[in-house]
Structure formats: C-alpha cells, structure tokens
Amino acid sequence: MNLSELRSDCWIIDNFLTESEIEELTNHIQKIEWVMFDDVQASNFKQPSSKGFHVLEEDFEIIENKYLRKILDLNFSGMPKIEKFDRVLYNCFEKHDTPLPHTDSLTEGCWTFIIYPNTKWEPEWGGETKVMFSPNRMTEENMQRMDLVSPLPGRLLIIPGDVLHSGSGTSVNTPRYSMAYQFWNNK
Amino acid sequence: MPGTGTFRIGQIPLGTAVEDYSGNDIKPVGVVWARAAKIRFGDSTNINQSSYCSSFNLQFDPTGLITNVASSSFTVGAEGTYQLSFHCRTTGGVRTNAGFRFELNGNVQPERFLSNYSRGGGAQQGGTHNFGGDGGTLLYEFGSSSTIVRILGSQQGNSGTVTALDGAITIIKIR
C-alpha cells in the first residue's frame, strides 16, 4: 500500500486492494442488480441518474464486512476514528454520465471511503472523482480548489463526507466502478 | 502537430486559472460554477406554516452569487442547479411546528427531510418538537435569473410554531 496526502484531511492509498481482491470485487459487482440512482434528493427537478446500488449497514453481507474490516484496520497518522459505516454505495459510471456534485452528509466528523475495484484503468479514460470543498469550511481559497482522482485499480480515496464531490462519466465504453463506504455521523 | 479537432475540458472552477506556457490568461469565457455563499439568520422568532425566518445577513459571498439580502429573504442572481443546505437551532413549546420549508419566488417547496416530515411521532402531528435543531440538504433548479429564497415553517404541525433561534444556509451552484 502507498499512502499519499491529497489534502490535510484527504488521502489516497494506492494498492489498497490486492489483485485477487480486485478480482473478487469485480466478480461481486458483475452480479449487482443496478438501479438508476440519484446522488442527492432533488426537490423540483429530475437530476441525471446513473447506475448505483446501496447496502445499508444492517444489511452488510460477507463481502461488505470483509472490506469494512480492511478499512478499519488501516493505521496511519491522521486516520479518521471510525467504528462503523452507515452504508456502502456502489456506483457504475459509463460514457456520457454526468453525475452532480453532492455531499454525503453535512455533519462534522462524517467520512467517505471510496474503493475503486477496476481491473484496469487508464487516466485518459476519465471517470475521475472530483473533490471540491466543504460548505462547512468555506473560504475563498478552498472554494477554488478541485482535485481529480483517477479510479485506478485497487485505489482507496478517503475524504470528509461533507466535502462536495462527484464521480465522472468515462471517455471509453469500459464502465468505471466504485464502492463508497459512508459514515454520516448523524446519530 | 498531430491531432486536430475538439479539445474538451469540461467545466473550469471559478478560481482556476488557465494559462499558456508564457503565463498569458487563456481561460475561456463561459459558465462558472462552484460559486457559493453563506447566509446566517434567526432571531428567536416563532415560525409557523405561514411565517418566515428572519434577520438574514450575508456572511460569505466572494463571487457575488447573492444580489440582495432583505430581512427575511435573499436573492440569487443566476439560474442553474443549486445545493441548498440549511440548519437551524430550535426550541419548541408545548405545541410546536414540525420544521421548515424553502420558498422559491413564492413557490413553496416540498417538505422532504428538511423538516420533521419523515420523523413521525408527536412532532409531525403538531406535538412537541423534541429536537434541538433541524436541517437538511436538497438540490433545486432555479429557472429564473433572479430567485428570491425564503424559509417558512412546516405545515405538518398544524397551527403550531417552532422557535428559530439561529441558523445558516449555504448555497452552492453546482451546474
């Protein structure tokens, strides 16, 4: 595993998944019965939707619990103190998808861990996760920042859940998969 | 130089510069996004289904997203898709209102989880508001180049009220 700091509160861990784990998750994802999913509730319009599937904590199965354990076993300086997650959201973005930026929670102390179980990915294929700013910590400087994180095979991205972020469509016909563990800190 | 045709770059954040190798500004003129503002409000007013939160004041708006702030409203000066996040500290009496709703250019928006709508129990029926705060996040399409935003009480609490101590709205243009 290779840890790099994207920001003071965002990290990227490359090779978080081994090749066999990527294969395991790929096989699992192939069996998902996707639904057309919206990222955030839209009140007065229909937002663009894309393929997604979510599993709430009480319904975690062996595979969600396996990678939950792997996340909780991470140990590095700054690693968020999390004991549980509220849900796992699987996303499948394809060519021409245009997901909207959103926050996963606005409660301070919420976190999102995004795993990219793609067997192969080239940066020019698109599908980046765009990481923007938090409405809870708006400054002129951080509003102007956007980081693009390519969904490289086996990569893990850790961001505060209150940071505005979005997935991206791809430039190729290969679907881009992600698996987001979300801790909303609502209770 | 190989490769001619269209160079697609997507949307460029407002504060991101685009320069050539000589440092000249070559940023295209077009839609800017991720404009954001924060508005504070609240003066312990009792809010019901037909009255508005008040004492609005603009706290943060570096890009001029907000064109006007009045006592109980603010005006957004561009059409587009917005994320509106709202939070308010509250207190309730014996009988309180169930929460809050957004109103856009006079059109009252659905309750959704901005209020206690989905919480059930006494608050939804107009009973005691058992929460020290209320809020939520929703996306809205502003179809007008000038949209007046207000917050009024929920209709779920019948004639009850909720005391809006203080709170904040953050608004972000996301498209």
Side-chain angles (χ1 to χ4, degrees):
Chain A
M1 291 189 202
N2 302 313
L3 173 74
S4 56
E5 188 178 285
L6 184 66
R7 304 176 184 179
S8 61
D9 57 358
C10 299
W11 297 270
I12 292 172
I13 300 179
D14 282 320
N15 302 315
F16 173 72
L17 300 178
T18 64
E19 286 187 13
S20 62
E21 288 170 337
I22 293 173
E23 186 179 348
E24 177 185 48
L25 281 172
T26 300
N27 291 334
H28 171 65
I29 283 170
Q30 299 307 321
K31 297 172 193 157
I32 286 177
E33 295 181 0
W34 300 102
V35 295
M36 297 310 287
F37 218 87
D38 299 342
D39 286 316
V40 181
Q41 287 197 57
S43 188
N44 65 350
F45 72 105
K46 180 76 182 87
Q47 64 170 304
S49 56
S50 52
K51 288 180 182 174
F53 183 78
H54 80 152
V55 183
L56 295 173
E57 182 211 10
E58 56 266 32
D59 300 320
F60 279 7
E61 296 191 353
I62 291 173
I63 199 150
E64 283 89 18
N65 279 321
K66 176 179 177 180
Y67 293 97
L68 163 70
R69 176 49 50 196
K70 184 158 186 172
I71 287 173
L72 297 183
D73 285 344
L74 285 170
N75 184 17
F76 63 88
S77 174
M79 169 68 184
K81 299 286 183 286
I82 297 171
E83 295 179 357
K84 59 181 276 295
F85 286 92
D86 293 280
R87 74 165 176 172
V88 169
L89 173 63
Y90 296 90
N91 280 117
C92 170
F93 293 123
E94 300 175 301
K95 204 171 183 179
H96 305 310
D97 277 342
T98 56
L100 291 175
H102 61 277
T103 50
D104 292 336
S105 172
L106 277 175
T107 310
E108 297 273 4
C110 58
W111 288 94
T112 296
F113 288 59
I114 305 174
I115 298 171
Y116 302 103
N118 300 299
T119 52
K120 183 183 179 192
W121 202 263
E122 301 292 341
E124 59 267 28
W125 292 0
E128 303 94 347
T129 298
K130 300 172 182 169
V131 184
M132 289 159 258
F133 62 93
S134 167
N136 290 328
R137 296 179 291 284
M138 286 200 297
T139 65
E140 200 164 345
E141 183 183 359
N142 69 22
M143 266 178 59
Q144 297 176 355
R145 180 165 182 178
M146 180 167 72
D147 295 302
L148 298 178
V149 179
S150 185
L152 298 184
R155 173 173 273 184
L156 169 68
L157 169 66
I158 304 172
I159 58 173
D162 63 355
V163 164
L164 199 67
H165 62 278
S166 79
S168 301
T170 67
S171 62
V172 291
N173 289 324
T174 306
R176 171 268 205 202
Y177 299 115
S178 60
M179 181 182 183
Y181 282 83
Q182 299 175 347
F183 171 56
W184 298 328
N185 201 20
N186 282 343
K187 293 169 186 170
Chain B
M1 185 176 179
T4 57
T6 303
F7 178 51
R8 293 189 172 84
I9 54 175
Q11 295 168 304
I12 304 169
L14 183 67
T16 300
V18 182
E19 299 177 346
D20 64 17
Y21 289 107
S22 301
N24 299 313
D25 179 11
I26 56 169
K27 185 172 182 175
V29 176
V31 174
V32 294
W33 69 310
R35 302 173 69 186
K38 187 169 187 175
I39 300 102
R40 290 204 167 276
F41 67 90
D43 51 9
S44 300
T45 304
N46 290 327
I47 306 300
N48 63 28
Q49 59 185 320
S50 58
S51 62
Y52 299 102
C53 291
S54 55
S55 294
F56 281 59
N57 67 83
L58 191 60
Q59 187 186 33
F60 180 83
D61 185 20
T63 64
L65 185 64
I66 307 301
T67 55
N68 185 53
V69 179
S71 171
S72 60
S73 71
F74 64 91
T75 304
V76 182
E79 59 183 294
T81 305
Y82 291 86
Q83 174 175 302
L84 276 170
S85 303
F86 163 90
H87 192 265
C88 183
R89 283 199 309 133
T90 60
T91 58
V94 175
R95 180 183 175 85
T96 67
N97 196 294
F100 302 92
R101 294 173 289 172
F102 274 117
E103 183 191 281
L104 307 176
N105 275 347
N107 298 312
V108 179
Q109 301 302 308
E111 305 243 346
R112 299 286 180 95
F113 60 84
L114 189 63
S115 70
N116 278 332
Y117 180 68
S118 61
R119 291 176 185 163
Q124 192 177 105
Q125 304 306 320
T128 303
H129 192 296
N130 290 322
F131 299 90
D134 207 346
T137 296
L138 286 171
L139 304 181
Y140 290 99
E141 193 78 47
F142 288 6
S144 168
S145 60
S146 181
T147 300
I148 299 171
V149 182
R150 293 187 174 91
I151 304 168
L152 80 163
S154 164
Q155 62 183 352
Q156 296 297 321
N158 298 321
S159 59
T161 63
V162 63
T163 304
L165 294 176
D166 54 64
I169 303 165
T170 56
I171 178 167
I172 304 169
K173 189 177 195 303
I174 60 172
R175 189 173 59 182

